[in-house]
Structure formats: structure tokens, C-alpha cells
Amino acid sequence: MNLQQLCDQAMGFHQRGKLQEAERLCLQILKVDPANYPACCLLSVMRSQQGRNTEALELMRTALKTKPNSPSALLNCALILRILGRFGEALSIYDEVLAITPDFAGTHFNRAIILSDLRRFEDALVDYNKALAKNPRHAEAHYNRGIVLSALTRFNEALASYDKALEINPAFAQAHTNRANTLRDLKRFDEALVSYDKILTQAPNDAEAHYNRGAILSEQKHFDEALACYNRALALKPNFAPALINRGRALLELKRLEDALESYDRASAIDPTSPDMHINRGVTLWNLKRFEEALACYNKALQINPGQATALYNRGVTLSDMKRFAEALSTFDRALAVSPDHAETWNARGSALWNLAHFDESLGSFTKALVLNPELAEALYNRSNVQWTKFRRYDEAVGDLEKLIAINPDHDYARGDLLHLRMHGGDWQELAREIALVDAGVRAGKHVTKPFVYQAISESPSNLQACSRIFADHMFPVVRAPRPSSLRDHGKIRLGYLSGEFHEQATSYLTAGLYELHDKSKFEIIALDNGWNDNSPVRKRLEAAFDKFIDIAPLTDAAAAEAIHAEEIDILVNLNGYFGKLRMGIFAHRPAPIQVNYLGFPGTLGADYIDYIVADQVVIPEDEGQFYNERVVYLPHSYQVNDSRRLIAENIPSRFECGLPEQAFVYCNFNQSYKLTPEMFAIWMRILRQV
């Protein structure tokens, strides 16, 4: 039997699936004739099928030495090079084939695949168009063309290509899937669902289709239905990591945080290299206020992909929540180096700068966020806040809040803040209407105003309590932490005063003498400082009065509560309430057996973890005690302590020196302008008119 007959026989074995016999004959031929073209080509194909592509390539190159212009050998060589990831070499071979035989079937199609691999999508599209010009009924070419058009975000054209592929081959399953995915990209969600339903009618056990259907339902915020789809996909394919990740997202939206965490943990066990999984796990832990663990997740995501902008943004937000503002700022800057047009990052950067007291830069960051996204609600709210609290630019602040409310009338606390600012400026236009809207919002349980703001406009004790309850539940909910069961025995009662104003400020002017007058044989008094040391005479006096000063300003609420609990403080006094540099979140952890509201905010804090409020009969008439969550403790005469050692003035000016007439009665109002209402102003005018 001559070599040609052996080659024919080997080819017959291969066609009948008798691969071992075909291989044996090829090796026998090549032993006699190492460059035998048919044997080299056939054995190359078999080696590639066996995954031995390096050997396959060498065999095909040997064949090409015999027939260097063989289109079929060149195309097979290019296919093997693609498998080996050597795309540039494969592309050169396709160019060589087109130079030899411009009309050789399949060349443009295969060249387009290589160009897609090289992400040269525009060039790939040209080749798919040429392939389809030669064979308009090539379903796979239409399908691949759709993939390229999707990569170019030309989704409507991609949809038409998938439709053409399905017209030629209605059973083309992947074309059905990609068509549905393209409808999703076009946000034609209902049509996409119909497509997935058709797929599942034909293949009810298609895990990918269940997964994709869940993704559409998530886009539509139908999270319960989406969860059912992800569960079905996982029942069919238990180690389907993307389904576990999306399942976690749905559970997160449904506020089932522990279940979401369990889903991410399962995904992590399957694929610990997914940055997306680590990021979403971090978001879940962040929602659980487990900030250290959330930070570790973002760090893992960044180890895998150091330029992951979402991980950097979330890391910065978490560091801000941990009061590590300098690190947060650095992280936001890293995120902006990757994604400079991300408005939310500029806004978060502004908040970090605000907390670092870099107010000019903070304002600049909020403004940059709004240049990028003029309707970014949080940036409008934050810029308004810095405009009026630090720069006293009331008109600009009012403008931001008005725009915010036009975008979202129910944005948390915006309407109340706008009313507060207008009252600061004496703008009483439509004041009654605005107050009525705020009152209605409070009665409806909305986050419409903050308690401090509401004190100036509401005369209803019931509404004031409702407002504080809404605010406490929203901003400072009870934290499930061990509650000290009783006072501890350490000889003296340990009394902790928590304030952000242990410096030159009104609260300290009032209370400096109070701390000095404690009976040190019965009480040990501890200052829990949420502010700063201004090295003023008042500060030095306070430091001398307290047994201990503890700086809690850089601590998270949880860490501060832990520090207070470790000090075994028996009675913890909240000197801020909802005023100034407040830290209600610490009290939500219940670090002390008895927690008291005093002085800074003489209204109810609306939180059941505050046990008492110290007041007098004028501040809280007895018939209004029912509108306080706290139990009211009445002091005789006046609840407000004053410092008997405080110097009023070294020189008392005369009336003449103050520009006042010698005999006239002088009326004064020492309140800020936001407390002045039209009704009170009218009363004053009636008095002045009469006298």
C-alpha cells in the first residue's frame, strides 16, 4: 500500500471516528515521509482536538513548507494560533490568505473573530459585513456581528443582527439569550422578560436564563421575584457564583442583611478572586455597621484590581464613617484619578474635607460634583449646608435647597432646613404654607425636618415629640448591644458628661461652676469630649474641675460607647441632644445604665434609651410631660445652671455710651432671627405702638 493510499485510509478512519487508527497511520506515514502534507494536516487537526496545540502548530507549519500557499493549511494554522492566544500572528495569516484568494470562504468571518479578540470592534464589523455579503444566510456571522455591535454600544443594530440570526436558525439558543440581554441594555425590560420566558419555555433548566431573568427583575426593583429567579438558578447550578452575588444584592435591597452576607460568603468560597463579590460583601457589612470588616472587603477587592473605582469610593465612605477622614480623603483622590467625572466621589470628598475643617476646599468639591451632575441631591444639600453654616451665604444656600426640593420634594430634612434658612433671613413669604407642609410631613412620619429646627416653628408638643421620634429612629436607631443591668459598685457614683463644647462656648460658660461644685466624696466626674481643646481659660478651668478628660472625637459611636462602658460610668449626661456637635449615636449603644438629657436641647430626644430629662416647670409644664419619651426630673425654680464666678463686664457702659436715651424703656431680643415669627413680631409692634 503506497503513502497516498495510507493517507486516504487514515482520513477514512478519522471521518468514522476511529481516531487511534487514524493517528497510528499518520505516524506511520510521517516516519517514512516527515513532510507528508496530508498526514501533517490530519495529525495536526487531531493534536489540536487533543489539546496538544503546540505540536499541532508545528505539524501545520511542516505541511506549509510543502504547500506554502494552501488556504486550508493557512486557515488551520491561524485557528491554532488563536487557541494559543497568539492573535497578531493569526491575523497576519488571514491577511496572507486574502492576498492569495480574496474570495476564499470563511476567511473574513474568522478574521473578524480575531479582530474581536483584539478588541478592534470597528474593524471586526467590516469583516463580518464582508462575510455576510458573500453568504447572507450565515447565522453565526449575524450573531457575532451582534456581539460586536453591542461592544460598540450600538444596541439597536445589535438587536437587528440577533433577529436575523434567529430568522435563519430559530433554535439558536445563545442568540435568544443575547437578544434578551440587548433588550436589557436598551432598558426595554418588559420585552427582555418575554424573551427570557421564551427561552425558559424551551429550556426550563437553563440556569443562565433564570439568572438573567432575575437581573431584569432587579433592574425593575422587583427584588422578591428576582430572588426567586436566583434561587432557581442556584438549584440548577449550585456553584453559580454570579447568581450568588446577584442574590446577595437582592437580599440587601430587601434589608435581609444577614442572608445577603451568607450569599456573598458562599460566592467567596467558589470564587475568591471576584472584586465584585468583595465590594458587595463590603456594602452589606457597611449596612450592618461592621465598618472594619467592610474595609477589609474593599481592601481585598483593591488587591485584585487596584484601580477599581467603586471599591475606592466605598472604601473612602467607610473610612469617613470610621472618622478616619484624612485616609478617606486620600482614597477619594485615588478614586478620582481613575474616574475623574464621578460626581458622587467629589461629593464624598467634600464631606471628608468638611470634617477636616477645610471648608473652602469642601465647597469646591461639592461645586465640582454639581458641575458634573447638577441634580445630585446630596451635593446640593451638602453645599447648602457649608454655604450657610461656614460662609453665611444664605441666598446661595437657599437657592441650592430650592433646587433640591424641586428635584425631590421628599429629600430628607431639606424642606425643614429651607424653612429654617428663610426664617434666618426674615423671609416670611408663604411662611404659613411652608410651616403647614412641615407639620403635615411630621404627622405623616416623614423625614421632613430636624428636631432642633422644628423647635422654632411648632407649638404642638405632640408634633415635637413625633419629630424627635422620627429623627432618632432614622438617624440614631437602637443598637443591639449589651445593656448594663445596674449601677456598679466603685465607692463613688461615676458621672459622665458628654459634650462637643468643652471650650469657649455658651454651654461651658453656664456649666463650669456646676462641675466644680460636685461633691467629690460622692461623685467621680468624667468629661467625654467630642470637640477640641482651644487652650482657652475656660478649657483650663474645665480640665481642673473634672477627674478625667477623655477625647472621644476621633472615635466611632461604637468605639466611644465601648470606651464609656469600660470606664464603668453609672450616669451619662447628654449635654448636646440635637444641638451643636451632637453624638446621639453613642447613647444608642446604651453604654451606661442611666442616660440623661440635660441643658443643650430641652425638648424630648424621642429615644427610649434616654431615661431622664432635667427640666423645670416653665421649660416643661407638668401637663406636657406625656409628650416626652424621657421621664421628667424637675428642679426647683430653674433647670438652667449658671456660673456664679463668671465676670459680666469689667466696665458697665452708660446709656449715653450705648447711644440710648437716658429715660426710655429699652426692649431687647437676644435670640437669633430664625426664632422670630410674624406673630411674635406683631406682638412687639403692638407693644411699641402703645408705649
Side-chain angles (χ1 to χ4, degrees):
M1 188 178 291
N2 62 33
L3 292 181
Q4 183 58 51
Q5 289 172 322
L6 287 174
C7 285
D8 292 341
Q9 190 175 3
M11 188 67 72
F13 281 139
H14 185 262
Q15 290 170 349
R16 295 195 298 275
K18 296 183 177 183
L19 303 182
Q20 287 183 337
E21 291 90 336
E23 182 179 353
R24 178 180 55 79
L25 285 176
C26 285
L27 290 170
Q28 183 180 332
I29 295 164
L30 293 172
K31 196 170 183 180
V32 176
D33 179 9
N36 185 277
Y37 177 81
C40 283
C41 288
L42 181 57
L43 187 58
S44 173
V45 170
M46 286 191 286
R47 288 289 181 255
S48 185
Q49 290 169 340
Q50 294 164 353
R52 295 159 64 176
N53 288 294
T54 302
E55 295 175 57
L57 183 61
E58 289 306 313
L59 285 162
M60 199 58 72
R61 281 181 166 160
T62 301
L64 283 165
K65 288 175 184 176
T66 305
K67 293 186 179 182
N69 292 329
S70 168
S72 60
L74 286 165
L75 289 173
N76 279 337
C77 190
L79 289 171
I80 296 165
L81 284 165
R82 180 181 181 239
I83 294 168
L84 290 168
R86 293 158 66 173
F87 302 130
E89 294 172 73
L91 188 62
S92 296
I93 290 177
Y94 286 126
D95 291 340
E96 192 177 338
V97 173
L98 287 170
I100 297 165
T101 55
D103 296 325
F104 193 84
T107 308
H108 285 294
F109 175 76
N110 286 302
R111 187 175 187 274
I113 292 172
I114 292 291
L115 288 164
S116 293
D117 290 333
L118 291 166
R119 305 190 67 77
R120 290 170 54 183
F121 298 119
E122 291 284 1
D123 294 333
L125 185 60
V126 170
D127 268 307
Y128 282 129
N129 289 341
K130 287 179 179 178
L132 288 165
K134 296 181 186 303
N135 180 7
R137 302 290 295 171
H138 193 325
E140 195 170 352
H142 285 292
Y143 168 76
N144 284 6
R145 182 176 182 273
I147 293 173
V148 166
L149 287 162
S150 289
L152 293 167
T153 67
R154 292 161 61 174
F155 298 120
N156 283 307
E157 293 172 79
L159 188 65
S161 274
Y162 295 134
D163 285 340
K164 189 65 178 176
L166 289 166
E167 177 189 315
I168 297 162
N169 179 9
F172 198 158
Q174 196 56 46
H176 279 291
T177 299
N178 280 25
R179 181 183 188 278
N181 289 341
T182 303
L183 286 165
R184 176 187 171 189
D185 290 329
L186 288 165
K187 301 194 182 303
R188 290 161 59 176
F189 298 129
D190 290 335
E191 293 174 75
L193 280 178
V194 171
S195 283
Y196 286 124
D197 289 340
K198 285 181 180 176
I199 295 167
L200 289 167
T201 299
Q202 296 173 3
N205 292 329
D206 186 335
E208 290 275 355
H210 285 290
Y211 164 75
N212 287 324
R213 189 174 188 277
I216 294 291
L217 290 163
S218 289
E219 292 272 11
Q220 294 180 306
K221 301 191 184 306
H222 300 325
F223 297 112
D224 281 312
E225 296 173 71
L227 182 61
C229 288
Y230 297 136
N231 287 339
R232 179 63 180 153
L234 288 162
L236 295 163
K237 190 177 175 182
N239 290 334
F240 193 175
L244 284 165
I245 293 170
N246 274 20
R247 178 178 182 270
R249 287 178 187 147
L251 288 163
L252 179 60
E253 293 288 348
L254 292 166
K255 309 299 182 190
R256 291 170 55 182
L257 300 179
E258 294 292 348
D259 291 335
L261 192 60
E262 179 267 341
S263 201
Y264 291 127
D265 288 343
R266 285 171 59 192
S268 179
I270 296 163
D271 181 13
T273 65
S274 165
D276 199 36
M277 180 276 301
H278 289 298
I279 291 168
N280 284 285
R281 188 173 185 275
V283 171
T284 305
L285 288 161
W286 180 83
N287 276 277
L288 288 164
K289 299 192 182 301
R290 290 160 60 176
F291 298 133
E292 290 283 359
E293 294 171 82
L295 188 63
C297 284
Y298 301 135
N299 289 342
K300 284 181 182 176
L302 290 165
Q303 285 170 7
I304 298 163
N305 180 2
Q308 225 292 346
T310 302
L312 287 165
Y313 170 75
N314 286 354
R315 183 178 190 271
V317 169
T318 302
L319 285 165
S320 291
D321 288 324
M322 297 169 74
K323 296 187 174 293
R324 291 161 59 178
F325 298 114
E327 292 174 77
L329 180 61
S330 174
T331 302
F332 290 134
D333 286 340
R334 284 172 60 194
L336 289 167
V338 177
S339 182
D341 295 333
H342 191 249
E344 288 79 3
T345 304
W346 282 103
N347 176 59
R349 182 179 187 270
S351 294
L353 286 160
W354 161 274
N355 282 288
L356 290 166
H358 299 164
F359 302 119
D360 284 309
E361 292 177 76
S362 172
L363 184 62
S365 277
F366 294 137
T367 299
K368 177 65 174 179
L370 289 165
V371 168
L372 293 167
N373 181 359
E375 296 191 350
L376 183 58
E378 286 306 314
L380 284 165
Y381 188 80
N382 289 337
R383 188 171 73 171
S384 168
N385 192 39
V386 73
Q387 290 274 28
W388 76 270
T389 60
K390 295 303 174 185
F391 298 106
R392 297 292 185 259
R393 298 171 185 164
Y394 292 105
D395 289 344
E396 291 90 336
V398 165
D400 280 342
L401 286 176
E402 286 176 339
K403 183 173 182 180
L404 171 57
I405 289 171
I407 295 165
N408 178 10
D410 291 324
H411 186 278
D412 289 347
Y413 311 114
R415 190 171 291 281
D417 281 7
L418 178 58
L419 177 57
H420 185 62
L421 278 181
R422 284 175 171 164
M423 291 181 72
H424 258 291
D427 180 359
W428 294 340
Q429 296 182 69
E430 299 188 1
L431 184 63
R433 174 183 172 276
E434 289 298 316
I435 290 174
L437 285 171
V438 171
D439 285 340
V442 169
R443 288 192 294 270
K446 294 182 177 180
H447 307 148
V448 66
T449 187
K450 298 167 189 167
F452 181 80
V453 170
Y454 200 45
Q455 289 287 329
I457 60 175
S458 177
E459 297 180 1
S460 165
S462 175
N463 283 359
L464 288 166
Q465 183 183 36
C467 177
S468 287
R469 283 176 168 172
I470 293 163
F471 192 66
D473 186 58
H474 178 221
M475 300 299 295
F476 312 106
V478 174
V479 177
R480 299 298 176 192
R483 173 177 177 170
S485 57
S486 61
L487 300 180
R488 285 148 291 196
D489 183 14
H490 12 246
K492 299 179 183 180
I493 294 174
R494 287 190 182 166
L495 186 55
Y497 287 96
L498 195 157
S499 176
E501 281 74 39
F502 288 131
H503 48 255
E504 291 275 7
Q505 200 270 343
T507 302
S508 292
Y509 297 154
L510 294 174
T511 56
L514 168 69
Y515 309 131
E516 294 166 340
L517 291 169
H518 279 72
D519 184 346
K520 295 300 183 72
S521 68
K522 296 179 180 177
F523 294 95
E524 182 180 353
I525 63 169
I526 298 170
L528 299 151
D529 183 15
N530 185 47
W532 63 92
N533 183 356
D534 62 353
N535 293 308
S536 63
V538 170
R539 174 68 179 216
K540 290 179 171 61
R541 185 178 167 192
L542 295 175
E543 288 177 348
F546 281 97
D547 295 296
K548 187 183 289 188
F549 242 88
I550 300 174
D551 181 14
I552 62 167
L555 302 180
T556 64
D557 290 343
E562 187 61 36
I564 292 166
H565 186 57
E567 289 291 330
E568 297 190 355
I569 287 172
D570 300 307
I571 303 172
L572 182 62
V573 181
N574 187 342
L575 288 171
N576 282 96
Y578 293 134
F579 163 77
K581 287 185 66 63
L582 59 98
R583 287 300 294 274
M584 270 288 285
I586 295 172
F587 291 84
H589 284 77
R590 176 58 84 167
I594 297 174
Q595 302 191 147
V596 181
N597 173 18
Y598 176 55
L599 194 61
F601 187 83
T604 181
L605 297 176
D608 290 338
Y609 48 77
I610 304 294
D611 304 296
Y612 298 97
I613 181 171
V614 177
D616 59 45
Q617 298 282 357
V618 175
V619 171
I620 306 177
E622 285 195 13
D623 62 345
E624 291 186 7
Q626 62 182 306
F627 300 111
Y628 283 71
N629 282 52
E630 307 90 336
R631 182 176 177 182
V632 183
V633 176
Y634 287 104
L635 295 182
H637 312 302
S638 174
Y639 88 108
Q640 182 176 300
V641 66
N642 276 269
D643 179 17
S644 61
R645 291 173 51 192
R646 186 180 176 195
L647 182 67
I648 302 302
E650 292 184 2
N651 297 304
I652 300 175
S654 67
R655 283 179 173 245
F656 177 78
E657 289 172 320
C658 292
L660 298 171
E662 290 295 327
Q663 302 301 320
F665 191 94
V666 179
Y667 293 86
C668 298
N669 170 44
F670 295 112
N671 286 296
Q672 291 197 55
S673 55
Y674 72 86
K675 299 179 183 179
L676 178 56
T677 63
E679 292 77 16
M680 184 59 66
F681 187 76
I683 290 170
W684 292 350
M685 294 304 103
R686 287 200 299 273
I687 293 170
L688 289 175
R689 192 181 301 119
Q690 292 175 40
V691 300

